[in-house]
């Protein structure tokens, strides 16, 4: 019971200093009295990015799949791009085109048409993937992957801003 009383005193001090609002105080007080844990935000924990389940704060880099990285262990961040090879789908398209043109003479265009459809669908399905790569004392980790280069660059920018802020 002493720890609950101490937590209530701390919450009240934070409310009086203006760190948390009256509503946050009441909400956290109810949780404490019900036996739950309080979730008081550290005023020093600045949020640099929060979008689509990804959050970058002074202390944590959290991902939607419940992976969390302590920012104190991150030494560098970079974006990486993985563009798949489109060579084989292009070869299938060329062979399909030639088979289609050859089939025009004798009326048998189906093989060429099927190859063109397969090659076109294959080519269209190949997308460049972008990654956030974290460097830590343990090595490099591909922490996050997405098809949007702009979004990945925003996350990398936020992580770098956090590292600079941390000093």
């Amino acid at each position: 019971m002493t720890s609950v009383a101490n937590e209530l005193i701390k919450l009240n001090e934070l409310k009086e200093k203006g760190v948390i609002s009256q509503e946050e105080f009441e909400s956290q007080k109810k949780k404490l009295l019900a036996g739950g844990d309080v979730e008081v935000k550290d005023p020093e924990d600045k949020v640099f990015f929060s979008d689509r389940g990804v959050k970058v704060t002074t202390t944590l880099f959290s991902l939607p799949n419940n992976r969390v990285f302590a920012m104190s262990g991150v030494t560098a961040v970079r974006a990486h791009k993985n563009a798949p090879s489109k060579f084989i789908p292009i070869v299938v398209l060329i062979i399909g085109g030639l088979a289609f043109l050859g089939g025009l003479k004798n009326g048998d265009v189906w093989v060429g048409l099927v190859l063109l459809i397969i090659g076109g669908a294959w080519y269209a399905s190949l997308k460049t993937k972008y990654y956030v790569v974290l460097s830590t004392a343990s090595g490099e980790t591909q922490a996050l992957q997405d098809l949007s280069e702009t979004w990945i660059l925003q996350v990398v920018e936020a992580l770098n801003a956090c590292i600079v802020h941390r000093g």
Side-chain angles (χ1 to χ4, degrees):
M1 194 62 160
T2 306
S3 65
V4 173
N6 288 339
E7 292 300 319
L8 283 171
I9 291 169
K10 288 179 190 176
L11 279 173
N12 190 49
E13 287 173 359
L14 290 172
K15 180 188 71 157
E16 298 211 356
K17 290 179 184 176
V19 174
I20 62 173
S21 67
Q22 179 67 35
E23 293 81 22
E24 289 173 309
F25 172 77
E26 293 298 330
S27 170
Q28 298 302 332
K29 182 173 96 172
K30 283 180 187 176
K31 284 183 183 179
L32 259 178
L33 294 174
D37 292 330
V38 293
E39 300 171 17
V40 179
K41 294 178 183 174
D42 181 354
E44 301 298 316
D45 197 16
K46 179 179 176 185
V47 176
F48 291 88
F49 183 86
S50 183
D51 186 34
R52 293 173 32 191
V54 174
K55 192 169 187 179
V56 178
T57 70
T58 308
T59 55
L60 297 174
F61 175 38
S62 57
L63 304 173
N65 59 1
N66 294 326
R67 284 182 70 192
V68 178
F69 297 90
M71 287 304 297
S72 60
V74 177
T75 56
V77 180
R78 66 181 174 85
H80 177 70
K81 164 170 114 168
N82 184 12
S85 172
K86 296 185 178 183
F87 177 75
I88 295 175
I90 290 173
V91 169
V92 171
L93 283 167
I94 291 170
I95 292 170
L98 292 174
F100 181 79
L101 291 174
L104 286 176
K105 292 180 184 173
N106 61 14
D108 189 19
V109 296
W110 294 108
V111 172
L113 192 58
V114 168
L115 287 173
L116 283 171
I117 291 170
I118 290 171
W122 189 356
Y123 185 88
S125 72
L126 297 175
K127 305 286 185 204
T128 300
K129 294 178 184 168
Y130 300 92
Y131 299 91
V132 172
V133 180
L134 300 179
S135 295
T136 64
S138 305
E140 286 193 340
T141 303
Q142 287 183 349
L144 183 63
Q145 164 190 313
D146 198 75
L147 297 176
S148 170
E149 180 180 25
T150 304
W151 190 71
I152 289 292
L153 290 175
Q154 288 174 345
V155 174
V156 168
E157 183 180 318
L159 287 162
N160 280 322
C162 178
I163 291 170
V164 168
H165 176 77
R166 191 181 71 217

